[in-house]
Amino acid sequence: MSVSAKNIPAPDLVPVRRALISVSDKTGIVDFARALAAREVALASTGGTAALLAQNEVGVTDVSQLTGFPEVMDGRVKTLHPVVHGGLLAIRDDPEHRAAMDAHAIKPIDLVVINLYPFEDVRFGGGDYATTVENIDIGGPAMLRAAAKNHAYVAVVTDPADYARVLAALEENNGALPYRLRQELAAKAYARTAAYDAAISQWFAGTLSIAEPEWRAFGGRLAQVMRYGENPHQQAGFYTTGEKRPGVATVRQVQGKQLSYNNINDTDAAFELVSEFDPRKSAAVAIIKHANPCGVAEGGSLAEAYRKALACDPVSAFGGIVALNRPLDAEAAEEIAKIFTEVIIAPDAAEDAVAVIATKKNLRLLLAGSVADPRQPGLSAKTVAGGLLVQTRDNGVIDDLELKVVTKRTPSEQEMADLKFAFRIAKHVKSNAIVYAKELATVGIGAGQMSRVDSARIAARKAQDAATAAGGGEPLTKGSVVASDAFFPFADGLLSAIEAGATAVIQPGGSMRDDEVIKAADEHGIAMVFTGMRHFRH
């Protein structure tokens, strides 16, 4: 059913004489309410907010006095009343609406100040089912939506950050608010309720294990306006969802200039990769360029791991992102600072390490608090023309897989350790992915090629380039192992890896020609392990 408009023009300026305040986040609300009261704005409020204002000697009327009906059902019902919603929705210049207001003693509400129950905090904070449900706000979104719809006459504020802006507009316009501001506040209110409902729907889908709900919604809050997107002609913003996963959305930036769109994208890729390595077992470092690793290694210390990672591709590492799975120490900081680096992200940093990085004023240092859990479930989304592709996070971990040796030769203990290491990396390399590794360090990475054979060849060539840059000698792929993110459809990719010097290979298996590939491995005396899990990354 459609509703016809009455084509009543909205006034430019609307005086604010009555305001309704009901906030969960009470940051700055006392000062804001006091400033409104100083302008002789009549204030009405609900339970907790009304009590806080009264305690601070701000004159306020409880909403129950307006409605003539008390808060009931543990506060679930307090503002869902015609006196409230009539005051919000009435078209002031419509004679029929005015007559209805007069007949039912409904007074107009010119300003609504509401923020919502902290559902997102409770959801991501581990609240139980009943507690989470109880933090679904009903009256708040209803009032926000009503006020936003009637922005021709009502201003709606849902963010404490806007209090100063509203007070400035009241001062500038002799106690009135302009139409453009009311429009912008209305748009923000609808975005807020949309994100709020998206969080609720996502929680329900996850809690009830509904893999593909009929309707899927995502929402987030603007954390940063970017100078531009991937390229200077593109606009961009960084939005956070409230998820508490350690990473770029939760970091504390110690120093350095503002992160760019590409910085955030690459830093996320770097920290997700290095989080695959348990900091209790080893130090690990990942160097990322354009969302692909150009070097990853484990070591007895971060400095050792960094040197090993850098040796894989020192040319590409220039201007890259460095991620660590342990707190940054001074020794590692000094190593990293030797070449131009855009970002360092680590769980924490020692004071002397911070001092080292401080000598590089443009180097961003980000502290995430801890590493992320690679097994944690979640969702990832990608836009396509006219829609969204949504899938669960790739939280497969090599340690949880049942590995199967399919060749006559079984990998040695060192080969098996390197195979597992290489497969962890392949999960984070753009497909088609080939990763050569030796002694828990990458020695060649081939990424993003249309042919797996080309990935194998590129990785081997880059290993040769690194060897040449280091002063000559054989490339480190000699005697290495190799990981493939997906099966070898033909034996040619495997043969390229063998030609580069690989002695063992790990891959998902599952090709129609697995027997052919296994036969080729046996003919060349190399070991092959199947994981049963593919890690395509597009």
Side-chain angles (χ1 to χ4, degrees):
M1 180 181 70
S2 62
V3 178
S4 60
K6 296 190 176 183
N7 294 320
I8 298 174
D12 181 31
L13 293 173
V14 172
V16 176
R17 300 186 179 94
R18 300 177 73 241
L20 173 59
I21 302 175
S22 180
V23 293
S24 176
D25 177 2
K26 295 178 174 54
T27 303
I29 195 60
V30 172
D31 289 340
F32 184 56
R34 187 176 285 124
L36 292 175
R39 289 190 165 278
E40 299 184 352
V41 177
L43 305 179
S45 189
T46 57
T49 306
L52 176 64
L53 297 181
Q55 289 169 11
N56 286 273
E57 300 181 346
V58 179
V60 64
T61 299
D62 195 281
V63 166
S64 62
Q65 293 179 254
L66 298 182
T67 63
F69 203 91
E71 292 186 16
V72 295
M73 302 175 186
D74 298 317
R76 283 191 170 198
V77 179
K78 49 192 173 187
T79 58
L80 298 171
H81 192 281
V83 167
V84 173
H85 284 273
L88 295 175
L89 285 165
I91 299 174
R92 315 292 167 76
D93 298 317
D94 185 319
E96 293 181 8
H97 286 210
R98 293 295 312 182
M101 294 174 75
D102 293 341
H104 300 287
I106 296 173
K107 295 181 179 180
I109 299 172
D110 309 305
L111 173 65
V112 172
V113 184
I114 293 171
N115 53 61
L116 307 176
Y117 293 172
F119 175 84
E120 294 99 333
D121 290 342
V122 174
R123 171 197 177 192
F124 290 119
D128 60 31
Y129 188 91
T131 301
T132 307
V133 168
E134 207 55 38
N135 276 275
I136 298 175
D137 202 332
I138 301 301
M143 288 187 288
L144 287 177
R145 291 173 62 82
K149 176 174 181 174
N150 201 29
H151 62 271
Y153 301 95
V154 183
V156 54
V157 179
T158 187
D159 185 351
D162 288 322
Y163 294 167
R165 184 184 184 195
V166 170
L167 292 176
L170 289 171
E171 177 68 24
E172 182 180 343
N173 296 285
N174 297 316
L177 293 177
Y179 183 54
R180 175 67 185 191
L181 176 59
R182 300 195 307 273
Q183 286 180 304
E184 292 176 359
L185 292 172
K188 187 170 184 177
Y190 276 118
R192 176 65 187 111
T193 58
Y196 194 76
D197 285 341
I200 295 169
S201 68
Q202 293 284 15
W203 173 75
F204 267 117
T207 300
L208 301 179
S209 298
I210 303 173
E212 291 84 29
E214 190 71 19
W215 293 89
R216 176 72 83 180
F218 290 92
R221 179 167 190 166
L222 181 65
Q224 179 184 330
V225 176
M226 323 302 296
R227 287 176 56 210
Y228 52 80
E230 282 188 285
N231 300 291
H233 65 279
Q234 294 174 271
Q235 294 178 309
F238 178 40
Y239 292 80
T240 56
T241 63
E243 184 181 9
K244 305 303 181 185
R245 185 174 180 82
V248 290
T250 64
V251 294
R252 175 172 66 90
Q253 184 165 350
V254 176
Q255 72 159 56
K257 57 187 178 181
Q258 185 184 55
L259 292 165
S260 70
Y261 180 99
N262 292 328
N263 288 154
I264 289 176
N265 187 56
D266 290 350
T267 302
D268 178 67
F271 201 63
E272 286 291 316
L273 192 164
V274 85
S275 291
E276 297 279 349
F277 299 92
D278 188 339
R280 296 167 299 181
K281 296 180 179 179
S282 67
V285 172
I287 306 173
I288 297 292
K289 198 72 170 290
H290 300 302
N292 271 309
C294 50
V296 186
E298 293 181 79
S301 68
L302 289 173
E304 179 192 358
Y306 174 76
R307 286 189 290 266
K308 291 167 66 177
L310 181 62
C312 179
D313 188 355
V315 174
S316 297
F318 186 85
I321 311 292
V322 177
L324 318 172
N325 73 335
R326 288 180 177 177
L328 177 67
D329 56 50
E331 182 187 14
E334 289 171 355
E335 288 291 329
I336 296 169
K338 288 179 180 178
I339 69 168
F340 172 56
T341 300
E342 288 274 8
V343 179
I344 299 173
I345 181 170
D348 206 343
E351 288 186 14
D352 53 356
V354 173
V356 171
I357 300 303
T359 64
K360 305 288 185 179
K361 64 179 183 178
N362 289 328
L363 172 54
R364 293 100 159 173
L365 176 59
L366 311 178
L367 304 182
S370 65
V371 293
D373 179 0
R375 295 179 175 85
Q376 182 180 336
L379 294 175
S380 66
K382 179 180 180 181
T383 59
V384 295
L388 289 170
L389 283 171
V390 180
Q391 64 177 347
T392 56
R393 178 183 287 130
D394 183 356
N395 61 351
V397 175
I398 183 70
D399 293 335
D400 300 336
L401 304 181
E402 185 175 341
L403 304 183
K404 180 181 179 183
V405 178
V406 294
T407 48
K408 295 175 182 178
R409 187 168 83 76
T410 299
S412 68
E413 184 176 344
Q414 181 62 56
E415 284 176 328
M416 183 58 81
D418 284 337
L419 288 170
K420 290 181 177 180
F421 169 86
F423 201 68
R424 289 185 207 277
I425 312 306
K427 172 182 171 182
H428 295 269
V429 179
K430 299 290 185 181
S431 300
N432 288 310
I434 291 292
V435 177
Y436 293 96
K438 187 176 184 179
E439 297 177 0
L440 303 181
T442 56
V443 294
I445 299 173
Q449 298 305 304
M450 293 68 75
S451 162
R452 195 162 300 278
V453 176
D454 287 342
S455 289
R457 290 171 177 165
I458 288 172
R461 191 204 73 199
K462 291 180 78 67
Q464 180 63 67
D465 291 344
T468 301
E474 288 190 338
L476 292 178
T477 51
K478 297 295 183 182
S480 68
V481 305
V482 65
S484 175
D485 64 339
F487 61 65
F488 289 100
F490 301 96
D492 53 359
L494 174 65
L495 293 174
S496 292
I498 294 170
E499 183 180 350
T503 62
V505 62
I506 188 168
Q507 58 138 318
S511 167
M512 294 176 59
R513 296 180 177 83
D514 274 348
D515 289 344
E516 176 186 326
V517 176
I518 294 169
K519 180 181 178 182
D522 282 333
E523 287 175 351
H524 289 81
I526 74 166
M528 182 179 289
V529 175
F530 281 4
T531 67
M533 178 177 283
R534 189 180 75 185
H535 283 306
F536 269 164
R537 188 177 184 85
H538 292 96

